[in-house]
Amino acid sequence: MSFSDALKRHKVFPEVLIHLVRIGEETGTLSGVLKDAAEHLQKIDDIISNTKRALMYPLFVSFSMFGAAAFWMFYVLPKLTAVFSTMGLKLPLPTVLLIKSVAFLNHYWWIFPLVFGMFFVGFFLLKLSEKGKFFLDSVMYKMPIFGTLILTSNLAFFFEYEALLLRVGVSITNSLDIIKKAFKNLVFKSAVENTNESIKNGMGLSESFRKNKIFEPFIIRMISAGEKTGEIDKQMSYIANSYYTKVNRMVEVMEKTIEPIVLTIAGVFFFIIVLALIVPVYQLVSKMGAVR
C-alpha cells in the first residue's frame, strides 16, 4: 500500500494533502512536497485559528457582560427593592422604570427561550435543504464585519491551496475539483464550481473569476497578469499572502476596537443602573440616620 492510500484510509487528512502526496510519489519528489505541504498547512491553520479567535472574542465579552447585568438585575436589584418597600421610600422615576422592567422580565422570562427555540428550529429546518443552506451561507457572508472576515479567510484558504496544487503540477480544473470539496460554505463552493465549468468551456481563469462576485477586481488583475506571464501559481501565492495579512490585520483591529465598544456599552448600562439606585439608597441612609 502506498503512503497516499494509507492516508486516504484515515478521514483526518484533507483530500488536498492526499493528492499532493500521490503526486509526490509519482514524481519522486515526496520529501519536497511534504515540506511544502507542511508549510502551507501551517499557514492554513493560522488563518482558521485567527478567524475563530476574532469571532469568539466578542461572543465571550458579550456573554460576560450579559452575565454581570443579569446578576445585578435579577439578584441585587430585587433585594434592594424589598428594602425600599419595607422602608416606605418614595422612589424616583428612573428607579421605578428599572424595577418595572425587571418585573416584566421576571414575569415573561419564557418569551426569551421560546424565541430562541423558534430561531433554532427555523435554523435547523433551513439547514436540511440545499436552498436553505445556500441562503444561510449567503447571509453569513453579508454579516457586517464578521462576514467580511469569513470571506477573506476563505479566499486566503482557497488561493493558498490552489497555489500549492498548481506548483506540484495539478491542472487548474483538477485543482478546483479537489479544493471545492474542502469548503462547507455552499456559496463559495458554487463559485468554485462555476469557475471550473467556465474554464472547461474554454474561458480563461481570470474571466471565469470575473463572473463570480466573491472574487474581487484585485484577484482578477493578479490572475490576468499571471496568465500573461505563465506564473499563475506565484500570483495565487501572492494573493493568498495578501488575504492572509488582511485576516491578521482584521483580527488585530477587531480585538482593539470591540473591547472598548463593549466596555463602553457595559459602562453606560451599569451607569444607568447605579443612577437609578443611588437616589433611593441615599434616601434610605438618610432615613436610617433620622431614626437614630
Side-chain angles (χ1 to χ4, degrees), residues 155 206 209-210 212-225 239 243:
L155 287 169
S206 59
F209 279 149
R210 197 186 302 274
N212 296 283
K213 293 182 179 180
I214 65 172
F215 298 114
E216 299 176 308
F218 156 72
I219 295 173
I220 297 166
R221 289 195 301 269
M222 295 298 297
I223 297 301
S224 179
I239 294 170
Y243 280 111

Side-chain angles (χ1 to χ4, degrees), residues 44-258:
I44 293 296
D45 185 64
D46 290 341
I47 293 170
I48 295 172
S49 298
N50 289 340
T51 305
K52 286 182 178 179
R53 191 177 82 224
L55 295 175
M56 290 302 295
Y57 180 75
L59 288 176
F60 173 76
V61 175
S62 299
F63 275 117
S64 299
M65 185 181 72
F66 178 79
F71 173 78
W72 267 88
M73 294 182 68
F74 298 109
Y75 182 78
V76 177
L77 186 60
K79 291 183 179 296
L80 289 175
T81 303
V83 175
F84 297 156
S85 300
T86 303
M87 299 297 294
L89 296 177
K90 184 179 180 181
L91 302 177
L93 181 61
T95 308
V96 173
L97 292 175
L98 182 62
I99 292 173
K100 287 186 176 181
S101 299
V102 174
F104 175 83
L105 293 174
N106 277 322
H107 190 70
Y108 295 102
W109 61 269
W110 51 269
I111 293 178
F112 298 97
L114 177 64
V115 172
F116 179 79
M118 291 174 63
F119 175 82
F120 180 79
V121 170
F123 178 82
F124 179 76
L125 291 175
L126 282 173
K127 292 282 284 185
L128 291 177
S129 67
E130 197 80 4
K131 289 184 178 180
K133 286 182 67 177
F134 191 91
F135 170 76
L136 291 174
D137 289 343
S138 63
V139 169
M140 183 178 68
Y141 277 154
K142 293 175 182 177
M143 290 171 59
I145 303 176
F146 299 109
T148 303
L149 176 64
I150 295 170
L151 177 58
T152 302
S153 64
N154 283 346
L155 287 169
F157 179 90
F158 171 76
F159 284 106
E160 188 70 33
Y161 267 147
E162 187 67 30
L164 182 58
L165 288 170
L166 292 179
R167 192 170 297 130
V168 297
V170 181
S171 67
I172 288 286
T173 53
N174 286 340
S175 63
L176 291 173
D177 278 331
I178 295 168
I179 291 174
K180 75 177 183 182
K181 298 174 184 177
F183 285 95
K184 294 181 180 180
N185 187 292
L186 294 185
V187 175
F188 203 97
K189 182 176 286 190
S190 176
V192 175
E193 290 175 348
N194 292 337
T195 299
N196 205 5
E197 285 300 316
S198 297
I199 293 171
K200 289 177 180 178
N201 291 331
M203 190 176 291
L205 182 58
S206 59
E207 287 301 312
S208 301
F209 279 149
R210 197 186 302 274
K211 293 174 62 178
N212 296 283
K213 293 182 179 180
I214 65 172
F215 298 114
E216 299 176 308
F218 156 72
I219 295 173
I220 297 166
R221 289 195 301 269
M222 295 298 297
I223 297 301
S224 179
E227 288 175 322
K228 293 175 182 177
T229 60
E231 297 181 333
I232 295 179
D233 60 320
K234 291 184 179 179
Q235 295 295 81
M236 286 191 170
S237 183
Y238 178 84
I239 294 170
N241 288 331
S242 176
Y243 280 111
Y244 176 71
T245 303
K246 188 176 180 180
V247 168
N248 289 334
R249 190 163 56 244
M250 289 179 70
V251 170
E252 291 176 2
V253 171
M254 287 177 67
E255 288 180 340
K256 291 178 180 178
T257 56
I258 288 178

